[in-house]
Amino acid sequence: MPSFAASRFKTFAKTAGLACAVAAPLWAQAQLSGNVAVTTDYKFRGQDQDASRNKAVKPALQGGFDYAFGDSGFYVGNWNSSVDWLPGNSIEMDFYGGYKFKAADVDWDVGALTYVYPGNGHGNTTEIYGAATYGAFTAKYSHTVSEDYFGWAGAKAGSGLKGRNTGYLQFSYSQEVMPKVTLKAALGYTHFSSDIRDTGVPNYIDYSVGGAYDLGDGFSLAAAVAGANKKSFFGDVNKTRLILTLAKTF
């Protein structure tokens, strides 16, 4: 008669074998893609991410990768960009993961994203998000769950204020209007937490209108006019600018 330990080992072996058999097709179908780009200005929610210079051209190098787990809908990824708005830091590193699925003719996307600034953790921010796409239109909402929102509340510096519950709602449009040409537009609204608003920081609206041209072999060239309102408070970082971006996907 087999010992209890031996029986447990056999059970474990069968379970592990079954798990491997199920996981194998998933890993076999997994897809890894990457991207790299150079842009004349990196704007995030309408605001320049290079606040050190009041110039129309503030080049930024960007790139990352996405890993999709086959047809399961789950994915993870990383995206990075050079920045210059936070003392002691020159790079933004984004890490995210989520789940995509289709229901009622709508494509849904839910997940979480963390913005990391290795040289200055005061800017680190984590959000959860949900998006719905129907045809050429997408509505997406991002909700801050970290203690602070890009350092606006100064929570990590001991201010006692919170940036949590800051929200960002964006409506966007993307449609191929002729072969290789895609028209894009977006309108977003940032609603700061009550602690941030109490310091005098106003909610604001950002916008972007432009298009992209498929150059072939994974290359694309995009142009957009982007900016935000409330310039009297935020200054030149919200200024409307023409942005050119050359990107490569692989």
Side-chain angles (χ1 to χ4, degrees), residues 46-62:
Q47 300 186 324
D48 294 342
Q49 297 305 287
D50 182 345
S52 66
R53 295 172 291 176
N54 181 20
K55 295 181 179 180
V57 178
K58 306 176 180 182
L61 181 62
Q62 305 172 333

Side-chain angles (χ1 to χ4, degrees), residues 1 52 74 95 138 156 179-180 213 231:
M1 181 177 179
S52 66
F74 290 99
F95 301 92
T138 297
K156 197 163 187 177
K180 297 186 177 183
Y213 182 76
K231 297 179 182 66

Side-chain angles (χ1 to χ4, degrees), residues 25-48:
L26 182 63
W27 285 105
Q29 297 174 25
Q31 297 178 343
L32 178 65
S33 59
N35 60 86
V36 63
V38 60
T39 182
T40 59
D41 186 7
Y42 169 30
K43 271 189 178 292
F44 175 72
R45 297 176 182 172
Q47 300 186 324
D48 294 342

Side-chain angles (χ1 to χ4, degrees), residues 6-29:
S7 298
R8 288 196 63 184
F9 176 76
K10 288 183 178 180
T11 301
F12 170 78
K14 289 180 180 179
T15 303
L18 178 60
C20 288
V22 172
L26 182 63
W27 285 105
Q29 297 174 25

Side-chain angles (χ1 to χ4, degrees), residues 59-81:
L61 181 62
Q62 305 172 333
F65 72 90
D66 292 282
Y67 192 90
F69 294 88
D71 296 326
S72 70
F74 290 99
Y75 63 90
V76 294
N78 160 250
W79 185 83
N80 314 277
S81 178

Side-chain angles (χ1 to χ4, degrees), residues 128-147:
I128 55 175
Y129 59 83
T133 299
Y134 183 78
F137 297 93
T138 297
K140 181 177 182 179
Y141 177 71
S142 301
H143 189 82
T144 303
V145 294
S146 55
E147 194 173 57

